């Protein structure tokens, strides 16, 4: 009996000491940072930290799998004002007291944020006038129960230049990565899902996006008011749930290159609106409701893309002077007399339906109705307003991405059953007396 | 009991009718062609351009066959004097119509099953790839379309005096509900005093036109609802909900019942006046 109670008391005291030690840690972390020399590495002991901290000198703050910042405050959980600081291996659970306060705020330059996990209903990371930072292996999860309009951005860049964001996994936020008034940022190998927009660019120059993925968001990639954006080898899929859904939007975009992207299963694959002098090539645009749509866009070059199995391959409105030649259209039955791999019959998309749908959105219910196709063939809009490919490609320039060899046993069984059922019914019907 | 007798008689007549087999052959060739076409396209699931095209091809042919078969079956009773004979028995026109509908429904379903069965077997033997869900979807789509149009065919039959009238009626209904439907909707609804009325009116008219109703619902179930735009958000949410399919089926059943009751009522009335 006494022996057991002794063990119990020892455990109790040990536990108490542990908690006390932990508390002491949390309370003194800012002091530790304040006392640290430039360039010093602070190894954070395992535990939970509840106090927001400010890093204002180039130190390295390194956590572990068990270091958690559980902060509820109207200040950011971590603020980096320094240049050249490093933050590594921590998890942040942040509840903002005030609106829009980010979990991590970066106001300095050349900092490295690596292996950081953030859970918050507020903004994940804000780079405010911060340059040449590297954000790598970041995971940000918003609150999936919040409606989209109440969510905040995953990573927000404001007047921040030459930053690199890579290997970030972001879900259930407003915009995955949002940048405004920024130059020369690089986003690569990121994945954004279940959010409003995957990647959202506003008034930026020379942004480079590659190997990014965007799934099941309202829209995949929204590029607006930008110059010289280069987006390549990104995957934008299943952005179709909302009536405004898009794979890729180019709005008010100049001199950009969009190439080798995979854009599939979206409501609209690529929408080019009021955009000029862009080059869109070698993209794989498949299984979208509308493959390519132009609205008041001019002088863009769209070539060597593959438009395959989109419900409506393309639509154009007030968009003369675009060069839309030498693409592959799966529904085009071409004829190649000269043998140069290009069809000598041109491919036309008539915008009659789109005109109608724009003027009277209610008539969109007639989308692909059998009579609509009949009407389409009777009503011709002027040739200048049609999307025309004068020399469509005969073969898909991109290797067919989706091949499937499904076993047909199920079909065989079902059809044999159907066949036998019908034969028996006919026999019984005829034999009946 | 009376209904069952009429039903059995209809089955016997139907399966001994050479028309049935002409349609069976025609529809088999058609189904085989569309399923082969679909299986040759690389796209897998959901709504694609190919799915749309094939749905539309089905919408062109199947309602027309159904309307002709159904309305002729009714007017034939009148013209050949069978009804005059049957009317001497204690047989109500309601059970006559429902019995006939059931019989023809079985015949049409058999035609569809046979066509899909033989096409599916050919696809399997030929080693073509085909998504099972797409196959079942087209089967269900065709059956629902045939059954609803069959009730309209009966209405045409009840209204017509002879086969010629029935033929004109059937083609008219087919032409209006399928071929020129969008043209009709666009030209009529743009005349409405307020644009706000267009969307609800179109929605109601779409529900009344079985071809459009089944097509729109199918597209929504295949995940293409967002193509219809923001105006139909509520409709899309409903169609995709768990009860959506059940309510849809119930609505079609109500549609069939109401049309059949009206047909038999018209038939009865015509009979009374016709006897004078």
């Amino acid at each position: 009996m006494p022996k057991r109670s002794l063990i119990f008391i020892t455990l109790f005291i040990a536990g108490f000491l542990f908690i006390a030690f932990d508390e002491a840690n949390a309370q003194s972390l800012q002091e530790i940072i304040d006392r640290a020399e430039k360039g010093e590495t602070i190894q954070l002991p395992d535990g939970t930290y509840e106090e927001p901290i400010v890093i204002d000198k180039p130190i390295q703050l390194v956590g572990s799998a068990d270091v958690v910042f559980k902060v509820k405050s109207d200040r950011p959980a971590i603020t980096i004002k320094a240049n050249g600081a490093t933050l590594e291996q921590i998890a942040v659970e942040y509840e903002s007291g005030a609106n829009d306060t980010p979990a991590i705020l970066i106001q300095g330059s050349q900092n490295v944020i690596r292996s950081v996990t953030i859970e918050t209903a507020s903004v994940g990371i804000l780079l405010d006038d911060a340059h040449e930072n590297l954000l790598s292996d970041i995971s940000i999860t918003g609150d999936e129960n919040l409606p989209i309009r109440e969510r905040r951005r995953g990573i927000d860049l404001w007047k921040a230049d030459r930053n690199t964001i890579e290997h970030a996994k972001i879900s259930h936020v407003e915009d995955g990565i949002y940048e405004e008034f920024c130059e020369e940022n690089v986003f690569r190998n990121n994945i954004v899902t279940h959010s409003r927009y995957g990647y959202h660019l506003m008034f930026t120059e020379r942004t480079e996006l590659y190997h990014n993925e965007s799934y099941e968001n309202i829209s995949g990639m929204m590029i607006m008011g930008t110059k010289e954006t280069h987006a390549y080898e990104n995957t934008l899929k299943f952005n179709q749930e909302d009536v405004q859904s898009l794979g890729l939007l180019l709005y008010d975009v100049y001199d950009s290159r969009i190439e080798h992207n995979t854009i599939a299963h979206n409501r609209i694959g690529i929408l080019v609106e009021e955009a000029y002098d862009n080059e869109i090539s070698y993209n794989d645009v498949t299984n979208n409701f509308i493959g390519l749509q132009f609205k008041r866009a001019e002088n863009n070059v769209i070539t060597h893309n593959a438009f395959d199995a989109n419900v409506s391959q393309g639509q154009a409105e007030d968009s003369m002077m675009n060069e839309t030649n030498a693409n592959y259209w799966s529904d085009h039955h071409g004829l190649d007399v000269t043998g140069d791999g290009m069809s000598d019959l041109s491919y036309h998309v008539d915008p009659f339906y789109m005109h109608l749908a724009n003027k009277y959105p209610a008539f969109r219910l007639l989308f692909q109705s059998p009579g609509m196709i009949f009407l389409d063939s009777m009503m011709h809009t002027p040739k200048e307003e049609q999307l025309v490919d004068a020399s469509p490609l005969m073969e898909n320039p991109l290797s067919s991405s989706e091949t499937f060899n499904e076993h047909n046993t199920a079909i065989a069984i079902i059809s044999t059953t159907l066949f036998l059922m019908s034969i028996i019914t006919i026999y019984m019907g005829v034999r009946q007396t | 009991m009376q209904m069952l007798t009429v039903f059995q008689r209809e089955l016997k007549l139907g399966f001994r009718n050479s028309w049935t087999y002409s349609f069976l052959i025609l529809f088999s060739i058609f189904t085989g062609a569309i399923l082969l076409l679909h299986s040759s396209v690389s796209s897998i699931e959901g709504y694609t351009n190919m799915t749309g095209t094939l749905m539309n091809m089905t919408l062109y042919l199947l309602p027309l066959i159904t309307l002709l078969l159904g309305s002729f079956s009714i007017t034939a009773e009148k013209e050949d004097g069978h009804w005059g004979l049957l009317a001497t028995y204690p047989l109500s026109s309601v059970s006559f119509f429902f019995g006939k509908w059931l019989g023809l429904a079985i015949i049409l379903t058999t035609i569809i099953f046979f066509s899909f069965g033989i096409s599916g077997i050919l696809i399997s033997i030929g080693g073509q790839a085909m998504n099972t869900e797409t196959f079942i979807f087209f089967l269900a789509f065709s059956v629902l379309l045939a059954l609803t149009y069959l009730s309209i065919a009966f209405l045409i039959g009840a209204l017509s005096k002879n086969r010629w009238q029935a033929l004109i009626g059937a083609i008219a209904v087919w032409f209006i509900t399928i071929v020129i439907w969008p043209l009709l909707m666009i030209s009529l609804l743009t005349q409405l005093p307020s644009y706000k009325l267009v969307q609800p009116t179109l929605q109601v008219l779409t529900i009344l036109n079985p071809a459009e109703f089944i097509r729109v619902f199918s597209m929504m179930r295949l995940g293409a609802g967002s193509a219809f735009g923001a105006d139909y958000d509520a409709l899309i949410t409903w169609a995709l909900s768990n009860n959506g399919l059940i309510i849809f089926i119930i609505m079609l059943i109500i549609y069939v019942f109401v049309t059949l009751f009206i047909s038999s009522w018209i038939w009865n009335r015509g009979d009374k006046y016709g006897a004078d």
Side-chain angles (χ1 to χ4, degrees):
Chain A
M1 233 8 180
K3 205 174 186 180
R4 200 180 284 175
S5 57
L6 197 67
I7 294 169
F8 182 75
I9 290 165
T10 319
L11 275 178
F12 182 78
I13 291 169
F16 181 78
L17 280 176
F18 183 74
I19 290 163
F21 178 73
D22 214 40
E23 295 256 300
N25 258 333
Q27 277 161 9
S28 60
L29 181 56
Q30 187 64 55
E31 289 165 31
I32 296 170
I33 292 168
D34 290 344
R35 278 200 300 270
E37 295 291 323
K38 283 181 183 173
E40 199 179 315
T41 301
I42 300 169
Q43 178 71 49
L44 294 168
D46 290 357
T48 305
Y49 301 84
E50 294 185 347
E51 168 208 23
I53 57 165
V54 178
I55 301 171
D56 53 5
K57 62 186 81 159
I59 52 167
Q60 291 179 298
L61 205 60
V62 182
S64 70
D66 294 310
V67 171
V68 183
F69 280 74
K70 213 175 225 171
V71 178
K72 186 178 175 182
S73 167
D74 46 12
R75 288 193 293 145
I78 298 167
T79 307
I80 302 177
K81 290 182 171 169
N83 298 328
T86 302
L87 188 64
E88 237 174 278
Q89 280 256 327
I90 58 159
V92 179
E93 290 171 28
Y94 178 66
E95 199 177 319
S96 169
N99 250 356
D100 290 340
T101 316
I104 297 179
L105 171 65
I106 302 173
Q107 289 172 317
S109 297
Q110 289 156 339
N111 299 293
V112 177
I113 316 290
R114 185 175 279 129
S115 306
V116 169
T117 307
I118 300 171
E119 277 178 43
T120 182
S122 187
V123 178
I125 300 176
L126 172 63
L127 287 94
D128 181 10
D129 209 354
H131 313 290
E132 291 161 42
N133 297 290
L134 171 67
L135 276 64
S136 180
D137 193 14
I138 309 284
S139 161
I140 299 174
T141 313
D143 184 349
E144 69 177 297
N145 298 318
L146 278 181
I148 286 214
R149 63 179 183 282
E150 285 172 29
R151 294 186 193 168
R152 297 291 176 265
R153 292 165 187 149
I155 299 177
D156 189 342
L157 296 93
W158 170 258
K159 291 185 178 170
D161 304 333
R162 298 177 301 282
N163 298 287
T164 303
I165 298 173
E166 58 179 26
H167 299 288
K169 282 192 184 62
I170 302 173
S171 66
H172 301 106
V173 297
E174 188 201 36
D175 297 348
I177 298 179
Y178 176 88
E179 59 164 348
E180 192 170 343
F181 295 115
C182 297
E183 286 178 22
E184 292 176 54
N185 289 310
V186 176
F187 306 146
R188 61 188 177 213
N189 302 93
N190 302 295
I191 301 174
V192 181
T193 64
H194 302 96
S195 301
R196 189 181 71 156
Y197 304 151
Y199 308 87
H200 191 179
L201 278 56
M202 294 286 278
F203 316 115
T204 66
E205 287 180 30
R206 294 185 294 283
T207 303
E208 198 173 334
L209 298 121
Y210 60 95
H211 297 168
N212 296 294
E213 295 174 26
S214 186
Y215 294 108
E216 293 175 53
N217 303 299
I218 287 183
S219 290
M221 207 173 257
M222 304 290 268
I223 302 180
M224 302 161 114
T226 68
K227 278 181 195 158
E228 293 173 59
T229 303
H230 190 196
Y232 57 99
E233 291 167 33
N234 300 292
T235 306
L236 313 172
K237 282 186 177 177
F238 297 104
N239 303 297
Q240 52 157 266
E241 286 299 308
D242 195 83
V243 290
Q244 310 287 352
S245 286
L246 296 162
L248 169 68
L249 170 75
L250 300 179
Y251 178 79
D252 188 22
V253 171
Y254 299 83
D255 302 315
S256 296
R257 277 186 298 155
I258 312 294
E259 51 195 8
H260 292 284
N261 299 292
T262 303
I263 301 171
H265 299 281
N266 304 292
R267 195 178 70 90
I268 299 176
I270 305 177
L271 172 60
V272 185
E273 189 170 354
E274 290 178 36
Y276 309 88
D277 305 311
N278 302 293
E279 188 186 320
I280 301 172
S281 57
Y282 292 99
N283 296 292
D284 192 6
V285 185
T286 55
N287 287 303
N288 304 288
F289 298 133
I290 298 168
L292 169 68
Q293 185 171 354
F294 282 111
K295 278 184 182 175
R296 300 175 297 281
E298 286 181 12
N299 288 330
N300 300 291
V301 177
I302 291 91
T303 187
H304 284 82
N305 299 289
F307 295 92
D308 190 5
N310 299 295
V311 174
S312 174
Q313 294 274 38
Q315 295 178 337
E317 189 197 0
D318 298 331
S319 301
M320 286 175 267
M321 310 296 290
N322 290 301
E323 198 189 315
T324 50
N325 296 331
N327 294 287
Y328 172 76
W329 310 87
S330 63
D331 57 337
H332 176 68
H333 303 291
L335 182 68
D336 185 11
V337 182
T338 49
D340 57 357
M342 289 186 200
S343 169
D344 300 309
L345 300 173
S346 58
Y347 179 85
H348 292 252
V349 179
D350 201 308
F352 173 74
Y353 167 77
M354 202 177 71
H355 266 303
L356 180 77
N358 278 351
K359 202 169 173 198
Y360 306 102
F363 288 129
R364 292 173 72 157
L365 198 62
L366 302 169
F367 181 69
Q368 291 246 320
S369 155
M372 201 66 213
I373 292 156
F374 172 76
L375 203 58
D376 254 346
S377 60
M378 293 202 323
M379 308 265 203
H380 279 297
T381 26
K383 278 253 166 14
E384 307 83 72
E385 290 190 25
Q386 293 186 8
L387 180 59
V388 180
D389 190 327
S391 49
L393 296 181
M394 297 297 290
E395 297 286 330
N396 191 337
L398 310 155
S399 56
S400 184
S401 57
E402 289 180 294
T403 47
F404 69 116
N405 288 311
E406 197 193 344
H407 267 288
N408 276 325
T409 11
I411 296 259
I413 293 167
I414 295 167
S415 26
T416 315
T417 317
L418 290 175
F419 183 73
L420 290 176
M421 272 170 74
S422 57
I423 292 294
I424 291 167
T425 321
I426 292 171
Y427 180 75
M428 280 170 47
V430 175
R431 277 297 300 266
Q432 204 190 109
T433 46
Chain B
M1 209 52 211
Q2 295 171 335
M3 209 167 87
L4 200 69
T5 318
V6 177
F7 164 68
Q8 283 173 341
R9 170 177 167 276
E10 190 62 38
L11 270 188
K12 193 164 77 180
L13 286 176
F15 283 124
R16 288 179 180 179
N17 187 346
S18 59
W19 276 84
T20 310
Y21 297 99
S22 329
F23 281 140
L24 185 131
I25 292 164
L26 176 64
F27 197 67
S28 297
I29 294 169
F30 170 79
T31 315
I34 64 166
L35 290 182
L36 275 172
L37 200 60
H38 195 278
S39 64
S40 66
V41 170
S42 66
S43 108
I44 317 172
E45 55 206 270
Y47 190 82
T48 64
N49 191 30
M50 189 48 77
T51 324
T53 309
L54 301 186
M55 268 166 73
N56 285 342
M57 283 164 79
T58 314
L59 279 166
Y60 277 130
L61 183 65
L62 191 57
L64 188 62
I65 291 181
T66 311
L67 286 172
L68 293 177
L69 212 61
S71 58
F72 281 17
S73 159
I74 297 289
T75 46
E77 301 282 355
K78 226 184 267 187
E79 282 191 283
D80 300 348
H82 291 144
W83 171 246
L85 186 67
L86 283 172
T88 59
Y89 293 97
L91 174 68
S92 76
S93 62
V94 173
S95 34
F96 177 64
F97 264 77
F98 276 89
K100 271 188 88 70
W101 186 86
L102 274 179
L104 272 175
I106 295 289
I107 291 168
L108 279 169
T109 315
T110 307
I111 291 179
I112 295 168
F113 276 19
F114 181 87
S115 317
F116 273 83
I118 200 138
S119 313
I121 291 170
L122 283 179
I123 285 173
S124 308
I125 292 170
Q128 294 267 16
M130 174 101 204
N131 187 283
T132 316
E133 276 160 39
T134 314
F135 185 81
I136 293 171
F137 165 76
F138 275 113
L139 181 69
F141 180 76
S142 306
V143 170
L144 289 178
L145 206 57
L147 296 188
T148 38
Y149 266 89
L150 186 58
S151 63
I152 301 175
F154 276 32
L155 186 61
I156 297 167
L159 284 164
S160 314
K161 284 199 179 70
N162 52 46
R163 282 194 183 89
W164 287 110
Q165 281 190 358
L167 178 69
I168 300 298
I171 290 177
V173 167
W174 172 76
F175 202 70
I176 289 168
T177 56
I178 289 160
V179 183
I180 58 159
W181 180 259
L183 179 64
L184 211 62
M185 289 300 107
I186 293 163
S187 45
L188 289 180
L189 297 185
T190 43
Q191 306 302 319
L192 286 175
S194 157
Y195 175 68
K196 279 183 187 154
L197 292 171
V198 173
Q199 193 258 337
T201 319
L202 182 63
Q203 206 163 317
V204 170
L205 289 173
T206 300
I207 290 171
L208 290 178
N209 177 353
E212 278 295 289
F213 186 43
I214 295 174
R215 185 187 72 87
V216 165
F217 184 83
S218 305
M219 277 180 69
M220 287 175 175
R221 290 295 287 197
L222 286 175
S226 51
F228 298 131
D231 287 1
Y232 301 96
D233 244 0
L235 206 63
I236 297 162
T237 320
W238 164 77
L240 293 179
S241 68
N242 291 331
N243 293 329
L245 190 64
I246 299 164
I247 296 170
F248 171 72
I249 300 286
I250 290 172
M251 280 170 84
L252 288 185
I253 292 171
I254 292 172
Y255 191 88
V256 168
F257 264 71
V258 170
T259 324
L260 284 182
F261 271 114
I262 295 172
S263 319
S264 59
W265 179 74
I266 291 170
W267 178 263
N268 237 349
R269 214 182 51 151
D271 206 37
K272 271 178 200 154
Y273 293 120
D276 289 335

